Amino acid sequence: MARSACLSLVLLGSVLGLCLGARLHKVDPPPTPSPAVEAAYGVIQRMVGEEYTGNFILCQIEANAGENDTFELRQSPAGQIEICGTNGVALAKGFYWYLRKYCNATVTWGHHGTGDNLELPSPLPAVAKTVRVSSSVKWRYYMNVCTVSYSSAWWDWRRWEREIDWMAMHGINLPLAFTGQEYVVAEYYLSLGMTEKELQAYFSGPAFLAWNRMGNIRGWAGPLTPDNRRAQFELQLQSLVRMRALGMTPVLSGFSGHVPAALARIMPGVKLTLSHGWNHFNSTFTGVRLLDPTDKHFVPLAKGYYEMQESLMGTDHVYNVDTFNEMVPSSSDPHYLANTSAAVYQGMHAADPQGVWLMQGWLFRNSFWTEKTVKPYLDAVPSSNMIILDLYTEQSPMWSRFDSYYGKPFIWCMLHNFGGRRSLCGNLSRIATGPAADRLVSTMNGIGLTPEAIEQNPVVYEMMLETGWTTEAIDVPSWITDYVYGRYGAAGRNPLLQEAWVQLTASVYQFNFADTFLGILHKSPKIPNAQSRHAQYAEPLYPSSPGADGHSQRQRAYTSLRYGVSGVPAAWRSMVAGVTEVQHFGHISGPLSYDVVDVGRQVLVDTHNDLVTLVSAAYLRWLEDGKDTSAELAAVGKALLTIVREIDMLLLTDPNYLLGNWLETAKSWGTSDVERRRMELNARYQVTLWGPGGQIDDYAEKHWAGLVGTYYYGRWNMWLTTLQNAVKTGKHVDTKTYSSELLSWEQNWCQSNESHATEHAPGVVTVSQHLVRTWAIAPPTQYKLVPNTVVSKFDIHAGTALVSRDIAQMKVLCDLEPLCVGFISTGYLKTAVDERKALQGCDLYVKVA
């Protein structure tokens, strides 16, 4: 094993060091550090500061035959920590390995570093024995094509620099680098004779560029000005320099064939296909043109695009191309499909003979794609020049359905999140075992993170990235114990905090499907009716056969997908009790504050679901039976609006949950009042209506202070008032008028410009204590337990079980509901508790007068 560089840097870049076994010649000039070593030192300095940087010696080594990226840790004779690696990523990963394994420290997402625990021991722990670690896979990929809109649309260089440091420390070597590609597109088409006006009709606004690039929409929330394109391009150049110095392989955009309509003007006779409408957008903002890959112009146009991009950005020879993302090809003929993919590849290869096509495998989820269509589509491209992202492997792997993509290498990806929606979720058991097992029986050559948005559920991402550096399955319980130590530092040894994570691991972190835990706080409220019973919920998923407790599977369709146990409320109680204890020994760290808020947020959002269920039930009793339910609507409705305000209050206690930061960073990209206004409009629409008329509304919902307290509160208040007025006046709700007025209110919010907090309000412990007492601790009312007993009739909320199965919470809800005299543990409040039957596992609780 040869070392190509060995060096020790101390403060201000002075060079003093030794390599192991080397003599110090005072008269000789110091060795010139490699770019990888310099870049890795930069990561260390930005993470732990100059105080600690001098404690580390970095040197570059070569991998042994058959090894992927590799690092070594050892103690130098002078007592410093020596980290040697094959490139900058390996060095940074070695540094993070030392922090995690020796210092109980972590670096995760968080506003201005609030996700970090970097309180390092002094002196730093020694490395008693040399450690050598190699990545188990060639590639560790990062980002979804949607992430660049849902998360990084407004990032500046400071934020990008931080993310690149995070990537390097977590071993990522294949990041998506899509920023600024509109500058390339514009320069290319302007050089071919298009006009700026024609380009503006094509580009979407900056919050929606991901779907413009994929050919789904055009023009919406634009224009995208030349100044903005240039600024994003300059930001991209900074990012590429840093990524390349660290040894990463940035993935640039490829030519997919989605083109401006004006191409028909400058190339008469070119064969363009008009894409079908996408997600209810009308022709004003959809109908993107797709240049038929079999057209004679396709390969020359593609070649020109790659050449233009390389002249402006350089290249690392990997390009993402998705021609049919969420769209179906015009023909299923195998020859057509083979010619299509061949043309995409030929256009790339003509400009870059080393080019590798990185394709998202998301398209193959459509029923159009079968063995008869997938195989010819893939076989037309050499296996050495294609990598497929199996985008949703943790939930719905495609590689096993299509025989390891018929020989093409693929990356085992965790998608996990859609639109940045807030919910505690993730299947840690699947993540811990899947990559290690699947690598042995497939063409898998990498692991990847492909969330549509980031900055949520850090535990899931920490574990997933560790799978790229081990060949063995991860032991989840022991890993979680170490994770809590590392995330909270000394506070992580508190038994209540450890217990909270045991409860979370056994509940929300054993589920695949992210939507399972979303709740309905963010949903545009609908008027309940006799057919739906609860109009906020999705269509029933199961037939209406009776269950053991006398309630049909249809009635439990919504909640049966959820954890349906006391895990999260119990975890919240443990976590708040734990943070109450540890606050006496010092300040509450950023990661601990984040988690206390996140777990509390989840419990309160679930409780909000149950309050909506009770309000809907009261309205339906009036609608169906003509009963005056004003008193019930008033009592439960008051609690409903209170909990929305209190969710907002909780979110305001942590800087990671603020709408104001999203809006202000968006506005910072504007160079004039008009531009700042347009940027804010982009930011507001994306997290609410998405499209101008509510297309994909609430898909990218966020649980942020300000958004909850104004937008969500305003909608629920309008909904409740509408129901109460109907009962009071005896007139049925005109649902068309209600929907129209609600949409108008939502649009007005999107087009407003009131400011929101960008600084959090201290008091996370005090606020959390208050909310736990209010919503998760049993009230003083006495209840008699009748074990193994069910009452199948007398449901207050017939047709929909409560989300909660936590007994303390069900007592809280029963006390709030004027008609409630008791409940059964499977999630039903009762108006009477007669006609009891024995049922193992179902307990009856009767309110004591």
Side-chain angles (χ1 to χ4, degrees), residues 173 245 278 326 347 488 620 622 663 736 752 784:
N173 65 349
W278 181 76
E326 298 187 357
Y488 303 150
L620 288 170
W622 167 79
L663 298 181
K736 289 185 178 180
S752 64
K784 179 183 178 181

Side-chain angles (χ1 to χ4, degrees), residues 234-349:
E234 291 172 352
L235 180 60
Q236 167 81 332
L237 295 183
Q238 286 182 284
S239 298
L240 290 174
V241 168
R242 181 63 54 78
M243 290 176 181
R244 287 165 177 159
L246 285 162
M248 297 179 184
T249 301
V251 178
L252 298 180
S253 65
F255 185 81
S256 62
H258 302 298
V259 297
L263 187 68
R265 178 184 63 79
I266 61 176
M267 291 185 174
V270 67
K271 186 177 180 182
L272 299 178
T273 301
L274 189 66
S275 66
H276 298 294
W278 181 76
N279 274 302
H280 309 294
F281 276 86
N282 62 30
S283 59
T284 303
F285 299 119
T286 189
V288 177
R289 275 64 175 179
L290 174 65
L291 174 60
D292 193 311
T294 63
D295 185 278
K296 66 179 181 180
H297 297 93
F298 189 96
V299 171
L301 270 173
K303 179 176 182 291
Y305 175 80
Y306 287 108
E307 290 172 342
M308 172 69 78
Q309 181 171 253
E310 183 172 358
S311 72
L312 294 170
M313 295 182 177
T315 186
D316 298 88
H317 311 294
V318 182
Y319 309 95
N320 172 253
V321 185
D322 294 305
T323 300
F324 299 118
N325 184 73
E326 298 187 357
M327 294 184 290
V328 175
S330 59
S331 172
S332 60
D333 179 72
H335 298 290
Y336 170 79
L337 294 170
N339 290 337
T340 294
S341 56
V344 172
Y345 171 69
Q346 288 164 11
M348 179 189 302
H349 187 264

Side-chain angles (χ1 to χ4, degrees), residues 12-123:
L12 303 178
S14 59
V15 181
L16 300 175
L18 314 169
C19 293
L20 290 179
R23 293 174 56 197
L24 177 64
H25 300 286
K26 296 182 180 179
V27 296
D28 292 340
T32 301
S34 70
V37 167
E38 285 192 310
Y41 261 116
V43 173
I44 294 174
Q45 188 171 45
R46 286 186 293 275
M47 284 296 113
V48 298
E50 294 181 349
E51 175 187 357
Y52 287 99
T53 304
N55 291 286
F56 296 93
I57 298 173
L58 303 186
C59 57
Q60 196 166 355
I61 59 175
E62 295 178 1
N64 293 329
E67 283 186 328
N68 296 310
D69 290 347
T70 300
F71 65 83
E72 289 183 351
L73 300 178
R74 61 172 64 87
Q75 197 79 11
S76 78
Q80 294 162 299
I81 308 302
E82 184 173 350
I83 307 172
C84 297
T86 51
N87 52 39
V89 168
L91 288 166
K93 176 62 181 178
F95 168 65
Y96 192 53
W97 186 280
Y98 176 76
L99 293 183
R100 288 281 282 116
K101 305 294 184 181
Y102 293 83
C103 302
N104 280 329
T106 54
V107 174
T108 59
W109 294 308
H111 183 68
H112 291 172
T114 54
D116 302 342
N117 169 37
L118 288 172
E119 295 184 4
L120 305 185
S122 182

Side-chain angles (χ1 to χ4, degrees), residues 694-711:
Q695 297 87 346
I696 332 181
D697 62 322
D698 301 312
Y699 179 84
E701 61 88 7
K702 304 292 187 296
H703 293 166
W704 287 338
L707 187 63
V708 172
T710 60
Y711 190 74

Side-chain angles (χ1 to χ4, degrees), residues 314-450:
T315 186
D316 298 88
H317 311 294
V318 182
Y319 309 95
N320 172 253
V321 185
D322 294 305
T323 300
F324 299 118
N325 184 73
E326 298 187 357
M327 294 184 290
V328 175
S330 59
S331 172
S332 60
D333 179 72
H335 298 290
Y336 170 79
L337 294 170
N339 290 337
T340 294
S341 56
V344 172
Y345 171 69
Q346 288 164 11
M348 179 189 302
H349 187 264
D352 183 358
Q354 300 178 61
V356 174
W357 178 358
L358 183 78
M359 176 197 296
Q360 291 192 135
W362 187 253
L363 77 164
F364 298 133
R365 291 170 56 82
N366 190 290
S367 60
F368 171 90
W369 296 99
T370 64
E371 180 180 359
K372 293 180 180 179
T373 51
V374 173
K375 193 172 190 303
Y377 187 66
L378 297 180
D379 282 351
V381 180
S383 293
S384 59
N385 294 88
M386 176 175 272
I387 303 172
I388 297 172
L389 299 175
D390 198 67
L391 210 67
Y392 200 11
T393 325
E394 90 278 17
Q395 169 68 19
S396 181
M398 292 290 106
W399 69 266
S400 53
R401 178 180 165 192
F402 296 117
D403 193 19
S404 268
Y405 294 108
Y406 309 107
K408 297 290 186 291
F410 73 90
I411 293 176
W412 200 108
C413 296
M414 182 186 77
L415 199 161
H416 182 260
N417 181 271
F418 295 89
R421 300 178 237 175
R422 285 284 181 180
S423 60
L424 294 177
C425 64
N427 192 337
L428 294 182
S429 295
R430 168 71 171 143
I431 295 165
T433 58
D438 293 349
R439 184 176 58 86
L440 301 176
V441 294
S442 68
T443 55
M444 169 186 161
N445 74 342
I447 59 100
L449 302 180
T450 53

